[in-house]
Amino acid sequence: MEIVPSTFLALAAMLAMVLRGPHGAIPVFFALTPFGAAAAFNLPAVGGATIGVMDMGTLTLFALVLMMPKGGERIVGTMRPFQPGSFLLLLALSCFIAAMFLPRLFAGQTEVFGLSRTDNQSGIVSLPLRPTTGNITQLFRMVLGFLTFYALATLMRGRPDHHIVLRAMTIATVINFTLGWLDVVTFAAGMKELMDPLRTANYAMLVDVRMVGLKRMIGGFPEASSFGFYTLGLFGFWLQMWIASPGSRRAAWMLVATTILLLRSTSSSAYVAAVVFVMTLAAFHLVANLRRTARRRSVSIAATLGLLTWVAMVVLFASYQLVDPVTAYLDRALFDKLGTDSGVERMSWNAQAWTNFTDTRLMGAGLGSIRASNWLLTCLGSIGIIGTGLYLAFMASLLRLPIPRAPEDRKATLQGLKAGCVALFMSAMLTHATPDLGIFFFAMAGLAAGMSRGAVLESVAARNAEADPLPQVDTQ
């Protein structure tokens, strides 16, 4: 085990979580989420695997929930049939089988693109299917996401306090904004080594990559694409919060901050996913509000978002045709992507993932056995038709979570969490290399599931109290 400078960040966060207790630990946990390149420690003996500070935060949070009175029973209660937790449990079983048995069952029967590490250098190579350490590490990463979901869903079900969620998301946004600009400023000042203590994971750190002369912002992550992916989740949350919370200064400022970061990230996948997400959100609000009870502000905002998106596309098209720097930037960020060596290589990954899916009789080559550049294809190639179906069922159950009518802030927060998950899912559909949607996705999903279920239980308890009030006791 290799101790690194960010090990002390992980230890401090774990101590703070323990001292604050389960509910108080939620903001501390979210404060760790922007540190995607920070390792709690590395494991050179296990293929150079990294245990991140977020990973240790997840384990600590789950342990705190488990040690609560009847903690195990509460977690099991999150797995009620036909709720997101039950589909996630079945998905976890499917992932375990896929990681442990499928690479052995179909060994040598198909070629896969997998991650190879040599002398701390990683690359994608084609080789016959066989069991690898990647099966274990990917299963571990998926399990971390599942534990995050169950821990947060259990906590929020017992106390669906939206103020905790807003505090946690605000802290995550502020830290991400700070790290993003520290990355740019320290690089411009020739002091990029100041960020090295936060870049200790055993990943390739694309620190000094430029796009048409502009330094790509990566913040606390190893590359611009992962930074853009995380920022897009925050953007989706705060955009929906701003729409649903008239007059909220916090939502407005956080939305401005995440929009700036998203644009500055220079991540092409984040750009495309953001446009698709905004257009989808605008269409959803227009359709949802086509009734007599529609609020004028909601319709106006939805129409404005659609109009602004259209105007922005027209302006971009005109700038692309007339302004040389804009032409160069968009060509580099978007339009030339598929024609580059990287783009051709990623398309070959996708084609091979589909071949793996068919070669294994639709069962998949095993979690962690392949890489692709599309979430759906990598799921089909890894965990097969059954695992992918369970994953999609989990997503559908998450989107169908009932939203309480009151209070308005809680309703807006729950809608924001759903929107954040949708934004991340849309980005994953474009470029995600593995079935794992990340701890941050499962964190927002867990908060949403717990808040929804907690609100339903509160509503039922209130109705029961009204129907069967307690007898009045004469104390005179």
Side-chain angles (χ1 to χ4, degrees):
M1 184 174 68
E2 180 186 7
I3 303 299
V4 292
S6 53
T7 300
F8 302 101
L9 171 64
L11 292 175
M14 292 168 63
L15 178 61
M17 293 172 73
V18 171
L19 294 178
R20 292 175 62 87
H23 287 91
I26 294 177
V28 180
F29 171 76
F30 271 80
L32 294 176
T33 56
F35 294 94
F41 50 87
N42 293 315
L43 299 173
V46 190
T50 289
I51 306 298
V53 294
M54 278 192 295
D55 305 341
M56 296 306 298
T58 292
L59 296 175
T60 303
L61 185 65
F62 188 80
L64 290 174
V65 175
L66 199 60
M67 291 187 293
M68 293 171 60
K70 298 184 179 180
E73 295 180 14
R74 295 185 182 188
I75 293 174
V76 172
T78 309
M79 305 173 185
R80 294 177 67 254
F82 305 108
Q83 295 293 316
S86 65
F87 291 112
L88 199 63
L89 178 63
L90 294 175
L91 176 60
L93 178 61
S94 176
C95 287
F96 176 80
I97 294 173
M100 295 293 101
F101 300 107
L102 294 184
R104 292 169 174 80
L105 179 64
F106 297 108
Q109 297 186 28
T110 185
E111 293 281 324
V112 298
F113 281 109
L115 182 65
S116 175
R117 292 184 185 273
T118 305
D119 298 328
N120 289 329
Q121 299 294 320
S122 61
I124 306 299
V125 297
S126 176
L127 41 81
L129 176 63
R130 59 182 176 82
T132 66
T133 56
N135 302 123
I136 305 299
T137 54
Q138 278 299 308
L139 179 61
F140 176 69
R141 299 233 58 84
M142 290 290 287
V143 168
L144 286 174
F146 300 154
L147 295 182
T148 301
F149 175 89
Y150 286 123
L152 291 172
T154 301
L155 288 174
M156 296 308 295
R157 188 188 67 196
R159 196 168 98 189
D161 186 356
H162 63 276
H163 294 99
I164 296 177
V165 178
L166 290 176
R167 191 179 311 121
M169 295 298 287
T170 301
I171 290 173
T173 303
V174 171
I175 293 178
N176 190 50
F177 186 85
T178 303
L179 291 176
W181 286 108
L182 278 176
D183 167 47
V184 173
V185 171
T186 55
F187 183 86
M191 298 183 293
K192 62 181 182 180
E193 63 276 2
L194 293 178
M195 297 288 289
D196 287 349
L198 301 179
R199 292 170 176 160
T200 53
N202 195 19
Y203 308 142
M205 299 292 170
L206 306 182
V207 177
D208 54 356
V209 178
R210 294 175 177 269
M211 181 178 289
V212 293
L214 189 67
K215 196 270 183 193
R216 305 188 75 181
M217 180 183 285
I218 64 173
F221 291 85
E223 58 179 350
S225 60
S226 55
F227 175 78
F229 179 75
Y230 176 83
T231 304
L232 181 63
L234 293 173
F235 172 79
F237 174 83
W238 290 116
L239 177 59
Q240 176 58 42
M241 278 294 300
W242 176 71
I243 293 173
S245 301
S248 172
R249 292 185 178 180
R250 169 160 43 185
W253 281 110
M254 294 298 104
L255 177 60
V256 169
T258 53
T259 302
I260 292 173
L261 291 184
L262 195 63
L263 294 173
R264 187 59 181 78
S265 70
T266 67
S267 170
S268 55
S269 59
Y271 289 166
V272 175
V275 171
V276 175
F277 170 73
V278 169
M279 295 181 68
T280 302
L281 189 65
F284 170 79
H285 279 284
L286 282 174
V287 172
N289 288 309
L290 288 178
R291 57 178 185 268
R292 294 181 181 178
T293 57
R295 290 190 305 176
R296 181 177 299 176
R297 182 179 185 274
S298 298
V299 177
S300 300
I301 289 176
T304 302
L305 286 175
L307 179 62
L308 288 177
T309 303
W310 180 79
V311 170
M313 293 176 68
V314 172
V315 171
L316 281 176
F317 178 78
S319 300
Y320 179 75
Q321 296 293 330
L322 301 174
V323 184
D324 290 340
V326 175
T327 303
Y329 181 82
L330 292 179
D331 281 341
R332 175 69 175 85
L334 294 174
F335 303 127
D336 290 345
K337 277 287 186 178
L338 293 180
T340 62
D341 292 340
S342 175
V344 173
E345 183 182 24
R346 288 175 179 272
M347 290 303 101
S348 68
W349 297 354
N350 291 340
Q352 189 61 37
W354 179 256
T355 301
N356 299 146
F357 176 59
T358 56
D359 285 349
T360 56
R361 301 175 182 85
L362 313 187
M363 295 176 65
L367 183 66
S369 293
I370 75 166
R371 292 179 72 86
S373 187
N374 174 283
W375 179 86
L376 183 60
L377 286 174
T378 195
C379 280
L380 290 173
S382 298
I383 56 180
I385 192 70
I386 296 177
T388 304
L390 291 171
Y391 221 144
L392 293 175
F394 167 73
M395 288 295 302
S397 65
L398 190 66
L399 294 177
R400 296 185 61 184
L401 287 171
I403 297 178
R405 295 184 178 181
E408 287 296 321
D409 287 347
R410 180 194 285 176
K411 176 182 176 181
T413 303
L414 182 50
Q415 290 175 326
L417 291 169
K418 285 187 177 184
C421 290
V422 170
L424 291 179
F425 182 73
M426 287 181 173
S427 180
M429 287 294 290
L430 296 174
T431 58
H432 228 52
T434 68
D436 180 27
L437 290 173
I439 288 177
F440 186 53
F441 170 86
F442 286 108
M444 289 197 293
L447 291 175
M451 283 187 63
S452 176
R453 182 60 184 166
V456 170
L457 293 176
E458 283 187 357
S459 178
V460 171
R463 287 199 302 267
N464 291 339
E466 292 177 359
D468 186 21
L470 293 175
Q472 300 294 324
V473 179
D474 187 3
T475 59
Q476 299 295 328

